[in-house]
């Protein structure tokens, strides 16, 4: 028996490619696998050797070379991951097949696509691994080619790999795309080592990325990197692995950069997985080889050399200890000195395992590979031709007993399980494949495969001729009855299929398909309409078929139960479209007739029509009306019978609008309305009513209720008094809201006024009683037409109307009364809505005249000095009160007024003094005296008649210096009966005597005239001024003032500066004032202060600031407050306050605003009633005084 050959040796004695140089150091880094060739093989046949760096194997179907080159498209850790591809469609008619090529050889992969149904050329992409597109790698090592055959309409795509290298091995993929179609195919390329001597591994080249210039077309992606110029490598051969093993991990990057290793990540990944250096064994002088190979049936010797022969030794197979037995010669254990040998005899495939030997605590292991000799086919299988249901037996003889063979059919392994119809048996070297019941599917090419050869033969299985003993018969069956279709054919064991109208029939709970011998029967428990049709029985494998027609009949029926209508009554709203669909049944399809009463509804009707289709009939009414209500009858007829049914259609509608409502009663902001129910309720009970109203002149209706009103009466409220309104009604049922009713007659909400207020007795005489009152607080939109005054004698209930016609005045005198009687008086306010509640005097009135003491009501403007100019008229009216009629006398300065000079006229309520042309002699104090019996009242009126003042008495030139002249004068002797308010000074040049005004409104009696022209001589004159104006004449200086030229000495006087500062002091205070409402009023006062004071105005102690109703002026110390169009609210206490740094002062006055507004206007302004009463009483008093 030949000795096993170690894997690290080759027939030519040279090391395989990729084996690192042998050194005396630690064991080599790569793992070494060993294969031993059988002795009968040619000695020149190459032995396979692969150098596998750690973690570099690629798991796949079949052998693959080591994957460590950067040229591989897919990293090893990603090869197991599935590749996601879109759904495949059949585009490739010929797919690329896996191939094997030697290093340096060429290989071509071909893919073909059918182009008959394609409008344009499909898109084909070639990939290596999962993601690397080879279109960018074409060059001298890779070429892609496309051709199109116009006759066969086939696109051919070829990929040529030229001078293959080891790193070209791997998985490739071809993808085809056309619009939404996609197809893909994967294949493998295996690159075998060449017979030439291999080179040793260079770690620097293994982990150095190519630059993509010198060797363009390599199947790696390094060509995509930036191109750099390649410099010749003149560095000496250095064992970088040895340097890395002895270096610290933090020095790896430095070493890689030093020796040009660019793939540092891949280097570190492999360095991490390199097994650590083992220490020198203490138990073994020589361990087992890593692997052994032996032929099947041969023996193998496993030898170890012990360092200590006394150590116990144990042998293991796959982890289980191998124990020697005396009767078994499988394992033989030998001892030769320090060597320990285990011999395995008659190696079989079961001996292919991992073996290890343990010496004390140390262990070494190896792996044994048992190589099986090929099995050859001695006698091949022969072709067979037979018919179905016959037995087929294929026989083959091989060169070895018990050999494993594989039966194939059309290239696919034949299943030989328990339930398989194929049986395989072996008798020595003969192998049989048995098919007991052959069928047409068994036709094909059968082959047997052994390790040393194959044999194939063709089997043809044909059908037996078909004979029909009983054909299918046409049938007519009532609906629901069972159906049986039966035929009888030969051969009897031929299965078949049943079809209905071309559709395959599958058996289920209702359909049963029976095949017994030659009889084929189709049974249906209860027939249905769907069972009608053409039935066909097709024997399997034959083109001949049996056919028959099945006709199902069914009496017509109307299925009203499916409508779910109570009492078969359908309710629909008028105006909607009605489509009543009623299911019907019957076979053949029945004839349908719709009728309403005696009238037949046709299919061609315009608005109302009947339609029948399929298994239902329908009645359609496009727009339903009330007249469509009624019973409708349906009649069905066919050859199996007749049926009829009726349905009721109820058309409901909105109710008719009610009649126009009536408004029997109207209030101030409400009314009451009634109406009748609608004549037609729309077929549904009335649920309630909606009410709307609008102003007569408006077109906008407003709904008054959102909840339905059940009754037929309603009281709308919150209406505007005096505005005409209309109302209308809507009736509501379950269908909807009716149209509105006709609007009611227009009505206007009006309310009587409230009762008159403040009814009092104004005057009583022996035969009359005069009463007065205030208007009602609430008048309303109806206004006030007038008042009705009634009275009755105390103790009776007979009210007598005093005024037959309404009076608009708020004062009335009842005449014709009996003296000494007591009466009660009441007043009613009358308007369009009627009479208000009466206002009655609380106590009875005695008809008897009463003495009233006199009282003079001096007007406001006469309480101050009454001033008029000479020549103006004086007309004064002074009202007074008193009963009976008072006696009036006038005195001036204690003397009776001269009637020839002053006219006086007296009435019952006032006295008038009139002076047609006033003179200064009319000035003075006039005393008015009013007498009623022993009662007296007096009043004094001060009249002042003013005129222009006279000129100043004398004017003298006090001094002249520079361009200045000092003047002094004395006030005029006649001031015109009015105070002098200022002077006007004028100057005139002696040459021209033209007078020019120097200053006006000058208050003092001395002045210095400045800015006079030097060299001129001036005269001066002065006018006096009072409230009437300037004096008619002026007083002139007797001497002139000469303005001397420069150089002249002027005598100057020394004056002490006078301190003009003083605290504010009012020289004229404010005066109590009466104002008429609606007319501007002013308050005046004058203040003197230095420095100029700050003036503030206040009303009721509140400062007046930024109020547009007030305007404030201050001119020359005169302070004025103007009140624009005052109202009664502007009355009150007004204060003027002046403040400067030296102090402050203030003056007050009272302002009363009267008149100007009617009672109604004050009510509209929201003035409180007590203020209105006070205001009206004061106004009435002023009117009476006038």
């Amino acid at each position: 028996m030949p000795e096993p050959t170690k894997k690290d040796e080759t027939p030519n004695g040279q090391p395989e490619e990729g084996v690192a140089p042998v050194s005396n150091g630690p064991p080599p880094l790569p793992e070494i696998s060993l294969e031993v060739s059988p002795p009968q093989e040619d000695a020149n046949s190459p032995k396979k050797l692969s150098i596998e760096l750690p973690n570099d194997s690629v798991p796949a179907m079949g052998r693959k070379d080591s994957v460590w080159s950067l040229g591989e498209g897919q990293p090893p850790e990603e090869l197991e991951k599935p590749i996601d591809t879109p759904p495949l469609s059949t585009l490739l008619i010929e797919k690329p097949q896996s191939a094997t090529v030697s290093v340096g050889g060429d290989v071509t992969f071909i893919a073909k696509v059918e182009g008959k149904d394609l409008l344009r050329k499909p898109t084909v992409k070639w990939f290596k691994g999962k993601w690397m597109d080879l279109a960018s790698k074409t060059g001298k090592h890779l070429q892609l080619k496309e051709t199109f055959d116009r006759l066969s309409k086939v696109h051919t795509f070829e990929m040529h790999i030229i001078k293959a290298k080891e790193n070209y091995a791997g998985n490739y993929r071809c993808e085809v795309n056309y619009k939404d179609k996609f197809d893909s195919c994967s294949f493998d390329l295996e690159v075998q080592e060449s017979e030439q001597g291999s080179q040793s591994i260079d770690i620097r080249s293994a982990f150095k990325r190519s630059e993509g210039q010198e060797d363009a077309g390599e199947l790696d992606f390094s060509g995509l990197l930036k191109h750099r110029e390649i410099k010749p490598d003149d560095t000496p051969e250095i064992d970088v692995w040895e340097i890395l093993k002895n270096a610290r991990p933090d020095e790896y990057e430095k070493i890689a950069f030093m020796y040009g290793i660019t793939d540092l990540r891949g280097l570190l990944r492999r360095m991490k997985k390199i097994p650590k250096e083992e220490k020198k064994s203490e138990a073994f002088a020589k361990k087992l080889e890593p692997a052994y190979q032996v032929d099947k049936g041969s023996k193998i010797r496993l030898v170890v050399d012990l360092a200590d022969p006394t150590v116990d030794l144990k042998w293991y197979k796959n982890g289980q200890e191998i124990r020697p037995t005396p009767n078994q010669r499988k394992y033989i254990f030998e001892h030769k000195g320090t060597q320990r040998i285990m011999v395995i005899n008659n190696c079989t495939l079961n001996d292919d395992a991992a073996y290890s030997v343990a010496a004390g605590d140390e262990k070494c292991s190896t792996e044994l590979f048992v190589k099986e000799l090929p099995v050859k086919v001695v006698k091949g299988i022969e072709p067979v031709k037979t018919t179905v249901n016959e037995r087929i037996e294929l026989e083959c003889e091989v060169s070895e007993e018990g050999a494993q063979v594989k039966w194939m059919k059309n290239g696919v392994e034949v299943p030989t399980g328990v339930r398989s119809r194929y049986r395989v048996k072996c008798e020595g070297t003969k192998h049989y494949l048995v098919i007991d019941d052959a069928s047409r599917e068994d036709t094909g090419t059968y082959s047997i495969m052994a390790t040393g050869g194959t044999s194939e033969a063709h089997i043809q299985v044909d059908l037996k001729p078909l004979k029909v003993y009983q054909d299918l018969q046409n049938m007519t069956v009532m609906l629901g009855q069972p159906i049986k279709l039966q035929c009888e054919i030969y051969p009897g064991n031929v299965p078949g299929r049943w079809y209905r109208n071309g559709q395959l029939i599958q058996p289920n709970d209702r359909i049963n398909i029976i095949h017994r011998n030659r009889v084929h029967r189709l049974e249906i428990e209860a027939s249905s309409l769907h069972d009608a049709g053409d039935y066909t029985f097709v024997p399997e494998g034959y083109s001949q078929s049996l056919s028959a027609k099945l006709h199902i009949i069914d009496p017509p029926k109307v299925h009203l139960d499916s409508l779910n209508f109570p009492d078969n009554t359908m309710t629909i709203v008028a105006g909607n479209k009605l489509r009543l669909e009623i299911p019907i049944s019957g076979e053949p399809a029945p004839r349908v007739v719709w009728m309403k009463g005696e009238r037949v509804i046709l299919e061609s009707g315009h608005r109302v029509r009947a339609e029948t289709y399929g298994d239902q009939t329908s009645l359609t009414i496009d727009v339903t009306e009330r007249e469509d209500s009624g019973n409708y009858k349906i009649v069905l007829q066919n050859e199996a019978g007749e049926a009829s049914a009726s349905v009721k259609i109820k058309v409901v509608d909105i109710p008719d609008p009610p009649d126009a409502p009536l408004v029997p009663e109207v209030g101030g902001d409400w009314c009451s309305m009634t109406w009748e129910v609608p004549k037609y309720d729309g077929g549904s009970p009335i649920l309630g009513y909606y009410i709307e109203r609008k102003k007569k002149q408006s077109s906008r209706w407003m709904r008054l209720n959102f909840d339905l009103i059940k009754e037929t009466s309603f009281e709308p409220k919150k209406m505007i008094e005096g505005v005409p309104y209309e109302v209308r009604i809507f009736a509501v049922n379950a269908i909807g809201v009716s149209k509105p009713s006709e609007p009611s007659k227009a009505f206007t909400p009006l309310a009587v006024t409230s009762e008159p207020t403040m009814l009092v007795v104004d005057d009583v005489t022996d035969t009359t009683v005069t009463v007065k009152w205030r208007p009602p607080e609430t008048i309303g939109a109806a206004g006030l037409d007038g008042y009705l005054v009634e009275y009755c004698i105390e103790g009776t209930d007979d009210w007598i109307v005093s005024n037959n016609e309404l009076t608009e005045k708020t004062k009335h005198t009842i005449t014709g009364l009996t003296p000494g009687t007591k009466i009660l008086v009441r007043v009613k306010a009358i308007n369009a809505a009627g009479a208000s509640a009466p206002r009655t005097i609380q106590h009875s009135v005695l008809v008897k005249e009463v003495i009233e003491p006199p009282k003079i009501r001096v007007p406001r403007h006469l309480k101050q000095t009454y001033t008029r100019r000479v020549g103006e008229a004086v007309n004064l009216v002074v009202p007074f009160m008193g009963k009976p009629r008072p006696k009036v006398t006038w005195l001036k300065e204690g003397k009776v007024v001269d009637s020839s000079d002053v006219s006086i006229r007296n009435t019952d309520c006032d006295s008038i003094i009139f002076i047609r042309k006033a003179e200064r002699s009319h000035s003075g104090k006039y005393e008015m005296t009013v007498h009623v019996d022993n009662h007296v009242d007096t009043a004094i009126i001060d009249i002042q008649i003013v005129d222009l003042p006279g000129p100043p008495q004398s004017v003298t030139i006090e001094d002249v210096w520079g361009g200045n002249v000092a003047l002094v004068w004395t006030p005029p002797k006649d001031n015109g009966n009015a105070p002098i308010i200022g002077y006007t000074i004028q100057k005139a040049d002696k040459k021209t005597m033209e007078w020019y005004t120097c200053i006006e409104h000058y208050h003092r009696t001395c002045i210095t005239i400045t800015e006079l022209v030097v060299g001129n001589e001036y005269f001066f004159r002065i006018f006096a001024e009072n409230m009437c104006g300037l004096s008619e004449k002026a007083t002139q200086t007797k001497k002139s003032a000469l303005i001397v030229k420069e150089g002249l000495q002027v005598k100057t006087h020394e004056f002490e500066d006078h301190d003009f500062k003083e605290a504010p002091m009012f020289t004229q205070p404010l005066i109590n004032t009466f104002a008429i409402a609606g007319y501007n009023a002013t308050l005046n006062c004058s203040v003197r202060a230095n420095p100029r004071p700050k003036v503030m105005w206040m009303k009721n102690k509140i400062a007046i600031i930024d109020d547009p109703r007030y305007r404030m002026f201050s001119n020359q110390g005169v302070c004025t407050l103007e009140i624009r169009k005052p109202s009664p609210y502007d009355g009150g206490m007004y204060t003027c306050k002046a403040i400067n740094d030296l102090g402050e002062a203030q003056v007050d006055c009272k302002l009363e605003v009267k008149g100007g507004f009617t009672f109604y206007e004050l009510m509209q302004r929201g003035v409180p009633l007590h203020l209105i009463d006070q205001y009206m009483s004061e106004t009435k008093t002023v009117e009476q005084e006038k």
Side-chain angles (χ1 to χ4, degrees), residues 121-141:
K121 183 185 73 174
T123 303
V124 176
K125 292 184 179 181
W126 299 86
F127 296 90
K128 182 181 181 186
K130 183 177 179 181
W131 55 270
M132 189 170 70
D133 191 353
L134 299 181
S136 62
K137 300 295 182 180
T138 56
K140 67 179 183 178
H141 289 281

Side-chain angles (χ1 to χ4, degrees), residues 69-75 78 128-132 219-221:
S69 170
L70 293 176
E72 293 295 335
Q74 188 171 358
E78 296 183 2
K128 182 181 181 186
K130 183 177 179 181
W131 55 270
M132 189 170 70
L219 301 184
D220 58 1
F221 54 79

Side-chain angles (χ1 to χ4, degrees), residues 692-702 726 728:
E692 289 185 351
R693 79 178 180 207
K694 76 174 183 68
K695 298 176 183 178
K696 184 177 180 181
Q697 65 274 18
S698 173
S699 59
R700 178 176 172 269
W701 290 90
M702 182 179 69
E726 294 178 346
R728 65 182 183 183

Side-chain angles (χ1 to χ4, degrees), residues 1100-1170:
N1100 298 329
K1101 305 302 181 181
I1102 298 175
I1104 301 173
I1105 301 175
D1106 296 334
D1107 193 331
R1109 296 182 298 121
Y1110 299 93
R1111 288 200 303 174
M1112 290 168 276
F1113 308 96
S1114 178
N1115 185 19
Q1116 299 291 332
V1118 178
C1119 303
T1120 304
L1121 175 66
E1122 181 180 357
I1123 306 172
R1124 304 179 64 183
K1125 296 183 179 180
S1127 65
Y1129 290 112
D1130 293 323
M1133 184 65 67
Y1134 283 82
T1135 303
C1136 180
K1137 188 175 184 180
I1139 304 173
N1140 69 358
D1141 296 338
L1142 300 179
E1144 63 181 33
Q1146 68 179 30
V1147 291
D1148 302 325
C1149 75
K1150 183 179 180 181
L1151 175 66
E1152 296 182 11
V1153 181
K1154 300 182 180 180
F1157 294 102
T1158 63
F1159 183 86
Y1160 184 66
E1161 290 174 344
L1162 294 176
M1163 290 292 293
Q1164 286 184 332
R1165 290 172 176 259
V1167 179
L1169 290 177
H1170 68 283

Side-chain angles (χ1 to χ4, degrees), residues 333-446:
F333 300 95
E334 299 178 359
H335 290 214
K336 289 183 180 181
T338 59
Q339 288 186 345
R340 300 294 183 265
I341 304 170
M342 182 180 70
V343 180
I344 304 175
N345 295 316
N346 192 18
C347 293
T348 63
L349 295 179
N350 293 331
D351 296 324
D352 190 306
Y355 292 86
S356 60
V357 58
D361 296 335
E362 294 191 21
K363 182 183 292 186
C364 64
S365 59
T366 186
E367 190 171 1
L368 176 62
F369 297 93
V370 178
K371 186 175 181 181
E372 189 176 7
L373 298 177
V375 178
K376 296 183 179 179
V377 178
V378 178
K379 180 181 178 182
I381 56 179
E382 297 179 355
V384 177
K385 186 176 183 181
T386 182
T387 60
V388 296
N389 305 123
E390 298 296 335
R391 187 175 184 273
I392 300 176
E393 182 174 305
L394 302 180
E395 179 182 355
C396 176
E397 186 175 355
V398 296
S399 60
E400 184 180 341
E401 293 185 3
Q404 297 292 332
V405 297
K406 184 182 295 185
W407 289 93
M408 310 287 286
K409 175 187 176 183
N410 296 330
V412 180
E413 185 178 358
V414 174
T416 58
V418 177
R419 297 184 179 181
S420 175
R421 53 196 309 273
Y422 300 96
R423 290 189 298 109
V424 177
K425 62 182 181 177
C426 176
E427 297 177 356
T429 59
K430 292 184 179 181
H431 294 265
Y432 299 91
L433 177 65
V434 180
I435 305 175
D436 292 329
D437 189 5
S439 63
R440 293 191 66 184
E441 287 77 7
D442 295 328
T443 300
T445 301
Y446 289 77

Side-chain angles (χ1 to χ4, degrees), residues 334-625:
E334 299 178 359
H335 290 214
K336 289 183 180 181
T338 59
Q339 288 186 345
R340 300 294 183 265
I341 304 170
M342 182 180 70
V343 180
I344 304 175
N345 295 316
N346 192 18
C347 293
T348 63
L349 295 179
N350 293 331
D351 296 324
D352 190 306
Y355 292 86
S356 60
V357 58
D361 296 335
E362 294 191 21
K363 182 183 292 186
C364 64
S365 59
T366 186
E367 190 171 1
L368 176 62
F369 297 93
V370 178
K371 186 175 181 181
E372 189 176 7
L373 298 177
V375 178
K376 296 183 179 179
V377 178
V378 178
K379 180 181 178 182
I381 56 179
E382 297 179 355
V384 177
K385 186 176 183 181
T386 182
T387 60
V388 296
N389 305 123
E390 298 296 335
R391 187 175 184 273
I392 300 176
E393 182 174 305
L394 302 180
E395 179 182 355
C396 176
E397 186 175 355
V398 296
S399 60
E400 184 180 341
E401 293 185 3
Q404 297 292 332
V405 297
K406 184 182 295 185
W407 289 93
M408 310 287 286
K409 175 187 176 183
N410 296 330
V412 180
E413 185 178 358
V414 174
T416 58
V418 177
R419 297 184 179 181
S420 175
R421 53 196 309 273
Y422 300 96
R423 290 189 298 109
V424 177
K425 62 182 181 177
C426 176
E427 297 177 356
T429 59
K430 292 184 179 181
H431 294 265
Y432 299 91
L433 177 65
V434 180
I435 305 175
D436 292 329
D437 189 5
S439 63
R440 293 191 66 184
E441 287 77 7
D442 295 328
T443 300
T445 301
Y446 289 77
S447 62
I448 185 171
M449 296 181 62
T451 57
T454 60
S455 175
E456 65 179 21
H458 185 73
I459 296 180
Q460 180 65 39
V461 181
D462 297 327
L463 294 174
K464 295 180 180 180
L466 182 66
K467 295 181 181 180
V468 179
Y469 293 121
Q470 179 182 350
D471 200 354
L472 296 177
Q473 303 295 326
N474 296 335
M475 297 181 64
T476 299
V477 181
M478 290 290 291
L479 181 67
Q481 297 298 320
I483 301 173
K484 290 185 179 181
L485 295 176
Q486 180 175 321
C487 64
E488 186 176 352
I489 60 174
Y490 176 83
N493 57 353
V494 176
R497 296 186 178 183
W498 291 87
Y499 293 88
R500 177 176 62 239
N501 298 329
Q503 298 293 329
L504 179 64
I505 300 175
Q506 298 289 349
N508 52 34
D509 296 340
R510 195 173 64 89
I511 300 175
N512 188 19
I513 297 177
I514 301 173
H515 176 201
R516 294 178 182 174
N517 298 328
R518 297 179 299 179
V519 177
H520 294 267
R521 184 165 62 250
L522 174 66
E523 295 181 353
I524 301 176
E525 292 183 1
S527 61
S528 65
L529 296 178
H530 299 289
D531 296 329
D534 295 333
Y535 284 77
T536 303
F537 176 75
V538 180
E540 187 174 349
Y542 294 90
S543 60
Q544 185 178 353
S545 61
L546 308 179
S547 301
K549 287 188 177 182
L550 178 62
H551 184 51
I552 306 295
I553 62 174
D554 182 30
K557 292 181 181 179
V558 182
H559 302 279
L560 295 179
D561 297 339
S562 62
L563 298 180
N564 295 326
F565 293 153
D567 300 331
N568 294 335
T569 300
M570 181 179 182
T571 303
I572 187 170
V573 179
N576 291 343
K577 181 178 180 179
L578 169 66
R579 184 176 180 85
L580 178 60
E581 296 182 349
I582 300 177
I584 61 174
S585 62
E587 186 63 28
R591 176 176 174 268
V592 182
V593 178
W594 282 83
M595 302 178 65
K596 182 183 180 184
E598 299 299 329
R599 180 172 61 88
V600 176
I601 300 174
L602 304 177
E603 294 185 0
S604 60
H606 178 62
R607 188 178 66 87
V608 182
R609 59 185 178 277
E611 298 174 347
T612 302
Y613 47 90
D615 56 352
Q616 64 181 9
T617 179
S618 65
L619 173 65
T620 303
I621 304 176
D622 289 336
V623 181
T624 54
E625 299 176 356

